[in-house]
Amino acid sequence: MTACAIEPSAGHEDDEAAPAGCTLTADGAYAARLASAGDSWFPERWTLDGPEPYAVPLPRNQPEEPGTEVQPMGDGRVLIHRLVAGRHAFSLLYPTGPGTGELPLGVVECPRGTARLRLLPPAPGGERAYALSVGPRSTTVWLVAGGAFGPERLAELPGRCSGGVWLDRTGRLLALDRETGGRTKAVVVDLERGGEVSPLLQIAADSDDRLLLADHDSGLLLIRSDAPSPGQDRLGWGVLGSTLPVRFPECLRLPDCTVTPFAIQPGQMLTPESCAVALRVDGPRGSWVGVWRPAERRVHHLPAPEGWLAGAGLWTPDGVLRLPYATEAVPCGVAQVSPPAAVASPEPGATPPRPHPHPHPRSHPHPHSEPYPEPYPEPHPEPGPEQRPDGRAAYASAATGHPPEPAPLTPGDAPEPAQPPHSPHSPHPPQSAPSADPAPPPTPSTPIPVPLQQAPLGRLVTN
């Protein structure tokens, strides 16, 4: 049994997106969910890397509670997290003959009302699993599966953390959204250096900046921040290791809808603007799928398959979106969705610079040194005045070990008509109107240098 030393709770809640209908391993080979049979619940594992998907029920002697967490491991076993008498119990489930085998891993005990504990997204490799215990003023990262002696405390961080995005393929660098001093900023936790923390994303001093998704191949980052519209969160994108500013496309703003990215197309080396991003759109008419690429100025709206396990899915490298679904007729299915091909290409020189694997050393930039060049223009810019206030963005360099040159966060692309929500059952989902004829880009704003700090992320080469 492991004690959970967290200070008394103040009753805060984390800012979490709606949970997905199931959880997939990082490579998409397995999935796990809590399935229902009448009024009872039981774990279920899906195998997705074969010629046909199939499900294996993993019930135990008694039904599970509705809030029980399950997560697939890389070897096909399923990690289960139960709350039993105020203690967080972890076990591995696996099929054995006609029944279900269970391997207890240990317990994390938290005094009643002191902290909440949840599983982090599946780690690359699938051999280990991690959990986050959140208290009112501190957060603990736990290794709950894959260790030598049961649950192991890896790091305790000041502040309340949420989110959780893996930044490398080894499961070493974990990005968390940490709330301190009334503001939330994305930070990097180095699990091989005793939980050493460094800043990852700082757009403005008084903004809340969260990291939602990251792609290992292209370095594409999906961000939620209120920097361009104080008090209103907006979706933006940037590139890990780039000094170019975050951009907040107008097309990602859908009235009366919540837009949550859940998958990025892999395999797009050095071309983050061509990556397709899958979006879960929740609106008054239900949930459906959106597909967006940074190089385009539109969102393609697609009806979700019946029984979609909302928020779950993955891309193949060639651009096919796989969406798991379950209906009475098909209890384990995967829909193959091929969204429209990209219709816009970035202008010459528009690709954000990627870190060189063997960079030349350089000195730290002085806060008043020559600013980085203005950001590249959006493809097919539309005419019209810029509407957004100036801010600033900065990333920790992923290759040089030094902070990047300062770069301004310019207002970005001009407003465009937002995509109206549509019924997910509509056979013809609406598409965005074509972009207007290209016009000269607006006059760039005055760059403002931003001092940064060196981060452990600078020693990693992100491919």
Side-chain angles (χ1 to χ4, degrees):
M1 181 184 303
T2 308
C4 181
I6 304 292
E7 299 171 355
S9 175
H12 295 282
E13 295 294 333
D14 288 334
D15 296 322
E16 300 291 348
C22 71
T23 303
L24 284 72
T25 54
D27 61 0
Y30 294 100
R33 68 170 185 144
L34 205 62
S36 63
D39 295 332
S40 62
W41 299 85
F42 63 92
E44 187 176 71
R45 186 201 71 191
W46 288 26
T47 300
L48 305 177
D49 60 349
E52 293 291 338
Y54 65 92
V56 176
L58 298 172
R60 292 297 292 159
N61 299 329
Q62 62 184 19
E64 306 292 346
E65 295 293 330
T68 299
E69 289 186 295
V70 292
Q71 185 173 118
M73 303 296 291
D75 58 5
R77 294 183 292 180
V78 172
L79 174 68
I80 186 167
H81 166 214
R82 303 183 179 100
L83 183 61
V84 181
R87 301 186 302 173
H88 300 271
F90 299 90
S91 299
L92 288 174
L93 305 179
Y94 54 93
T96 171
T100 300
E102 180 169 354
L103 175 63
L105 298 176
V107 172
V108 174
E109 184 172 1
C110 299
R112 178 171 297 182
T114 59
R116 295 191 302 138
L117 188 147
R118 64 173 178 84
L119 293 175
L120 285 168
E127 298 177 356
R128 296 188 171 195
Y130 300 84
L132 204 65
S133 178
V134 184
R137 289 181 290 275
S138 61
T139 300
T140 304
V141 180
W142 294 87
L143 173 65
V144 296
F149 306 103
E152 175 185 352
R153 184 201 307 266
L154 297 181
E156 185 167 356
L157 318 174
R160 302 179 66 253
C161 296
S162 58
V165 177
W166 297 101
L167 297 178
D168 66 335
R169 297 186 179 278
T170 65
R172 170 185 171 180
L173 298 176
L174 173 66
L176 296 174
D177 303 323
R178 184 173 67 172
E179 178 189 342
T180 56
R183 295 297 175 187
T184 301
K185 302 290 183 182
V187 299
V188 180
V189 181
D190 191 330
L191 299 181
E192 291 188 3
R193 289 176 171 257
E196 182 177 326
V197 179
S198 59
L200 174 66
L201 181 67
Q202 301 180 58
I203 298 180
D206 57 350
S207 63
D208 293 323
D209 312 318
R210 295 176 173 87
L211 180 64
L212 305 182
L213 284 180
D215 177 61
H216 303 148
D217 296 330
S218 64
L220 179 63
L221 305 178
L222 271 295
I223 294 154
R224 192 183 300 277
S225 173
D226 63 353
S229 304
Q232 299 181 2
D233 285 341
R234 293 184 57 178
L235 284 179
W237 69 281
V239 180
L240 186 65
S242 172
T243 55
L244 294 178
V246 176
R247 305 193 72 89
F248 295 88
E250 193 72 21
C251 64
L252 296 181
R253 303 182 70 181
L254 303 182
D256 301 323
C257 293
T258 300
V259 181
T260 307
F262 64 88
I264 301 178
Q265 180 185 359
Q268 308 301 299
M269 295 291 187
L270 308 181
T271 56
E273 73 283 349
S274 66
C275 291
V277 179
L279 310 170
R280 170 181 174 175
V281 185
D282 298 295
R285 303 178 184 178
S287 299
W288 64 93
V289 180
V291 174
W292 166 80
R293 298 176 181 87
E296 296 182 307
R297 300 175 59 83
R298 66 184 64 191
V299 174
H300 300 281
H301 296 271
L302 308 173
E306 181 183 359
W308 178 41
L309 304 180
L314 73 154
W315 289 97
T316 63
D318 55 354
V320 176
L321 181 60
R322 307 186 70 202
L323 302 174
Y325 69 93
T327 64
E328 291 186 5
V330 184
C332 177
V334 176
Q336 308 278 351
V337 179
S338 297
V343 296
S345 299
E347 297 181 4
T351 302
R354 301 289 299 121
H356 194 280
H358 301 290
H360 296 287
R362 57 173 179 165
S363 60
H364 291 265
H366 189 273
H368 300 288
S369 60
E370 182 179 357
Y372 196 85
E374 284 294 312
Y376 58 89
E378 287 277 2
H380 302 287
E382 298 179 357
E386 298 186 347
Q387 304 291 333
R388 306 174 197 161
D390 286 336
R392 295 172 293 276
Y395 294 101
S397 173
T400 62
H402 299 284
E405 289 89 351
L409 176 62
T410 57
D413 46 340
E416 60 182 80
Q419 295 299 315
H422 76 288
S423 171
H425 304 292
S426 172
H428 301 290
Q431 301 293 331
S432 301
S435 302
D437 293 335
T443 303
S445 59
T446 303
I448 304 177
V450 182
L452 300 177
Q453 299 178 10
Q454 184 173 348
L457 186 64
R459 288 181 285 276
L460 172 71
V461 175
T462 305
N463 294 325

